[in-house]
Amino acid sequence: MITPLHRSQEAAPYLRQSSKKQAKHNTGSRELQRALVQNALDLGWSLDRITMYEDGGRSAAFRSEREKFDQLIDEIRTGHIGLVLITDPSRGARNLEDWGKLIEMLRLTGTLIHSHGTLYDPRLLEDEAELNWAYQECHEAYRERHQRTQESALALAREGKLRLPLPIGYLYDHKDVVFDPRPGVKAAIEQIFKDFDRVGVMLALLREYSQKGILVPKNKSPGHLVWEAPTLHYFSRLIHHPAYAGIYVYGQSKQVATINKAGERSVRTQRLSRPEAAQVFRHTTYPAYISYDRHLKNRQTLDGNRIRIDSHVPRNGVALLHGLTVCGYCGAKMSVNYSRRRQPAYTCQALCRAGQGPTCQWVQHHIIEDPVLQLVLDALAPAQIDLTLRVHEQEQHAATAALKSAGQQLEAAAADLKRARDLSVAAIERNAHPDVVQYLNQRLEIAKTHHLQANRRHATLHQDSAVHNVEEVAKRIQQLDLDKIFKEMQTTPRVAKQVLDCLIKQLEVKRDDAVVHLVVTWHTGQTTSVTIPVVRRPHGTSVRGSQS
């Protein structure tokens, strides 16, 4: 079976550990895999013709995570490898597709494979069948072992006995969870919750701690406590974590596999937005820093504070330039904050969010909006119809795209419904196990619900997608007084924002002590610079009347 041509090529032992922890601690398995080098020597390969390929802490479930395995496949493809050595098929692949590609590559290039102390030639039908049988056996054993592990973990979690990673402020004392007894830790956590109750905004809390130089406890590694300046992520994790309310949560996240256009699989962690929807949700398992009602109130406060500044021009809200303004100091997008009187102000908090400094600047809305609106009015005079047609065209494109997407979702839901109905009928006709029939019936009900929702959404969008021809729109726009629209705000802010978005690409804002410098970048590529003195205007005198 082994020819001189095989020995003139390289022997390639492939070593893999499934996780970084296994790669570090499971030295017995590593020594077993390294024994493959000795097997290559026994088969007649010289030491200088043996090249080891090792993926430490890599899962076989996804090829995209295994650099050395991909390199080995490339070497086999080019004909440089004469022998591949593995302990068992699970070291090479955990899915049938990757295993089939490996065997096909070995068969086409005439490369031998050594596994379980046996040498195989995939070009021989008997050897290929035996390899596939060995892989199937290993694969089924792995899946059974993995399922038992998950079921055992879930059973322990339902009793609150599964040890989960603890946030800062807690430690394990044998089997029990206790408050962290190290000096100052418990008091610091309690103070953070008290300060958040007082301030109500994480960014303001971070600013206060940064200005006062207050440090917070962090676990850099097990048993290694450090005191550092807080970050926004630190406060967010602490306030959101249900453990501080004594809640034990398991199964709030899951691994989701996706396949890209190239056929490569990747895995990402999908987390449920509400811990109450997790597989296990147990009260009073941990000693609590705060009550559950207070925890819910904190989450509601954070949800109410959320401002999505990553979007472009939002549809609602009275701040007309939200999504267009950028900071002239750091270049970040500016957000909108509202005072107690609901007066918006444009604020740059990028450095503050990163814990690198105070707020760059803030400017009251009327200081920059009034001059910008005047610039827009001056630009509108020669091109009222063209501008409005662009607004109308944008709306029609958006409506058409939404209707098309809803139609595709409806088709997919109809196909899923048909497939679920066929499976359910087939299971009943074949007298399948009652559990199988029940499961398929549940899938059928879910598919019916999804189809009904998709059908309603498509019908609503179809009803709202009335398309006016260009002549009618132009005639209607000629009758509009755009100056009146902007000055008196007789239309909604969303329409005004759409018009602004058609003309303005970006508005750079830079405030000094007594003036504000504006640089308007138009979609045509031209820029207009304006310098405005900062004059505080009495409440209620904005050009936008009651909307201000």
Side-chain angles (χ1 to χ4, degrees):
M1 184 180 294
I2 302 177
T3 65
L5 177 61
H6 287 123
R7 291 194 175 95
S8 67
Q9 298 169 328
E10 293 183 352
Y14 177 68
L15 313 177
R16 182 187 62 78
Q17 296 288 351
S18 297
S19 64
K20 294 181 180 180
K21 180 179 178 181
Q22 190 182 69
K24 182 178 180 180
H25 300 289
N26 194 3
T27 56
S29 177
R30 292 172 65 89
E31 291 174 359
L32 178 63
Q33 291 184 341
R34 295 186 193 279
L36 295 176
V37 176
Q38 184 61 44
N39 292 336
L41 294 173
D42 296 341
L43 291 172
W45 269 262
S46 58
L47 189 59
D48 62 332
R49 302 299 295 169
I50 301 175
T51 302
M52 185 179 299
Y53 295 83
E54 180 173 4
D55 281 319
R58 302 293 183 179
S59 171
F62 302 98
R63 270 190 62 185
S64 59
E65 299 179 353
R66 297 181 292 156
E67 298 177 1
K68 292 299 182 180
F69 182 79
D70 290 336
Q71 183 179 344
L72 174 61
I73 292 296
D74 291 338
E75 292 296 322
I76 294 173
R77 185 183 294 111
T78 56
H80 296 161
I81 305 296
L83 174 67
V84 175
L85 301 100
I86 56 178
T87 55
D88 62 71
S90 68
R91 297 296 95 186
R94 285 244 173 90
N95 63 79
L96 187 59
E97 180 184 0
D98 283 353
W99 177 253
K101 289 180 180 179
L102 175 62
I103 296 300
E104 181 69 11
M105 193 66 64
L106 296 175
R107 185 180 64 82
L108 292 175
T109 58
T111 305
L112 306 178
I113 182 170
H114 185 275
S115 177
H116 284 306
T118 305
L119 187 65
Y120 299 97
D121 185 350
R123 293 173 297 181
L124 302 177
L125 185 61
E126 296 82 359
D127 285 9
E128 182 181 0
E130 189 169 346
L131 278 170
N132 289 333
W133 177 84
Y135 163 77
Q136 189 68 26
E137 188 178 47
C138 291
H139 182 62
E140 290 178 357
Y142 161 75
R143 292 191 59 181
E144 183 180 356
R145 185 168 59 252
H146 181 67
Q147 183 176 349
R148 285 202 306 267
T149 302
Q150 287 187 320
E151 292 175 350
S152 176
L154 182 58
L156 288 173
R158 284 172 175 164
E159 298 177 2
K161 297 180 179 179
L162 182 66
R163 289 172 68 109
L164 301 177
L166 296 174
I168 184 68
Y170 291 103
L171 288 177
Y172 279 109
D173 182 14
H174 301 291
K175 293 183 179 181
D176 299 326
V177 176
V178 298
F179 290 121
D180 195 327
R182 290 173 290 188
V185 175
K186 184 173 183 290
I189 301 298
E190 291 174 341
Q191 188 62 42
I192 290 174
F193 283 108
K194 291 179 181 178
D195 292 338
F196 180 76
D197 286 344
R198 173 176 52 84
V199 176
V201 179
M202 279 197 301
L203 195 59
L205 182 63
L206 177 62
R207 186 185 303 116
E208 179 179 310
Y209 274 54
S210 299
Q211 291 174 351
K212 295 181 179 179
I214 302 176
L215 304 181
V216 295
K218 297 181 181 179
N219 283 324
K220 283 296 183 182
S221 60
H224 182 203
L225 177 70
V226 297
W227 292 81
E228 295 180 348
T231 62
L232 201 63
H233 174 74
Y234 178 89
F235 285 139
S236 176
R237 176 173 172 78
L238 189 143
I239 296 172
H240 278 103
H241 208 298
Y244 294 105
I247 307 298
Y248 180 97
V249 176
Y250 175 80
Q252 192 177 355
S253 60
K254 62 179 180 180
Q255 302 294 319
V256 179
T258 57
I259 302 177
N260 59 20
K261 294 181 179 180
E264 297 178 346
R265 283 167 298 174
S266 60
V267 63
R268 61 183 177 86
T269 301
Q270 186 179 62
R271 189 174 181 84
L272 299 175
S273 59
R274 296 174 59 254
E276 289 82 1
Q279 290 179 290
V280 178
F281 185 84
R282 291 171 54 92
H283 288 272
T284 65
T285 301
Y286 299 143
Y289 281 89
I290 58 176
S291 66
Y292 180 59
D293 291 339
R294 188 175 168 193
H295 171 71
L296 290 178
K297 182 181 178 182
N298 289 344
R299 282 165 46 190
Q300 292 172 357
T301 301
L302 293 177
D303 290 340
N305 293 343
R306 185 177 294 116
I307 300 177
R308 297 175 174 85
I309 64 172
D310 295 332
S311 59
H312 195 36
V313 179
R315 294 187 174 184
N316 299 316
V318 297
L320 298 182
L321 298 172
H322 185 198
L324 295 175
T325 54
V326 297
C327 178
Y329 291 100
C330 68
K333 284 233 179 187
M334 299 182 72
S335 59
V336 176
N337 287 348
Y338 286 85
S339 67
R340 293 179 179 177
R341 296 181 177 180
R342 301 300 296 167
Q343 296 298 305
Y346 295 94
T347 310
C348 178
Q349 302 172 335
L351 296 179
C352 186
R353 288 178 184 275
Q356 300 175 359
T359 299
C360 290
Q361 60 176 328
W362 69 274
V363 185
Q364 291 179 336
H365 71 105
H366 65 83
I367 293 178
I368 62 176
E369 286 182 0
D370 292 351
V372 171
L373 288 177
Q374 187 59 51
L375 290 175
V376 170
L377 288 173
D378 295 341
L380 281 176
Q384 292 185 2
I385 297 178
D386 291 341
L387 170 66
T388 311
L389 290 178
R390 283 191 60 190
V391 176
H392 177 74
E393 185 179 2
Q394 284 188 352
E395 291 182 344
Q396 292 301 326
H397 283 327
T400 303
L403 183 61
K404 182 179 179 181
S405 175
Q408 293 173 346
Q409 293 177 9
L410 179 59
E411 292 177 359
D416 290 342
L417 177 60
K418 182 178 182 301
R419 183 163 53 251
R421 184 179 289 113
D422 292 343
L423 289 174
S424 179
V425 172
I428 295 174
E429 292 177 348
R430 296 176 183 178
N431 295 324
H433 192 277
D435 292 342
V436 175
V437 175
Q438 182 181 2
Y439 170 73
L440 292 177
N441 287 336
Q442 291 175 351
R443 285 189 55 186
L444 177 60
E445 293 302 321
I446 294 174
K448 288 180 180 179
T449 302
H450 290 171
H451 180 265
L452 180 61
Q453 294 173 349
N455 192 22
R456 289 176 177 174
R457 181 171 183 270
H458 181 268
T460 301
L461 292 175
H462 183 73
Q463 184 178 1
D464 295 341
S465 63
V467 180
H468 304 283
N469 60 60
V470 176
E471 291 77 8
E472 290 179 353
V473 176
K475 182 178 179 180
R476 186 178 61 187
I477 296 307
Q478 285 178 327
Q479 301 172 356
L480 293 179
D481 185 348
L482 292 179
D483 183 76
K484 188 176 182 180
I485 290 178
F486 279 101
K487 287 294 185 179
E488 299 183 5
M489 284 303 294
Q490 291 181 345
T491 184
T492 61
R494 185 174 72 88
V495 175
K497 293 174 186 179
Q498 287 179 330
V499 177
L500 290 170
D501 189 32
C502 286
L503 291 175
I504 299 176
K505 181 179 181 180
Q506 177 181 290
L507 175 63
E508 181 181 298
V509 181
K510 188 173 184 179
R511 178 173 181 171
D512 293 334
D513 291 336
V515 297
V516 177
H517 303 282
L518 302 180
V519 179
V520 180
T521 303
W522 307 91
H523 279 295
T524 60
Q526 298 176 337
T527 59
T528 303
S529 299
V530 182
T531 300
I532 308 156
V534 178
V535 179
R536 192 174 186 86
R537 184 166 53 190
H539 174 61
T541 61
S542 171
V543 297
R544 293 186 289 153
S546 62
Q547 292 283 353
S548 63

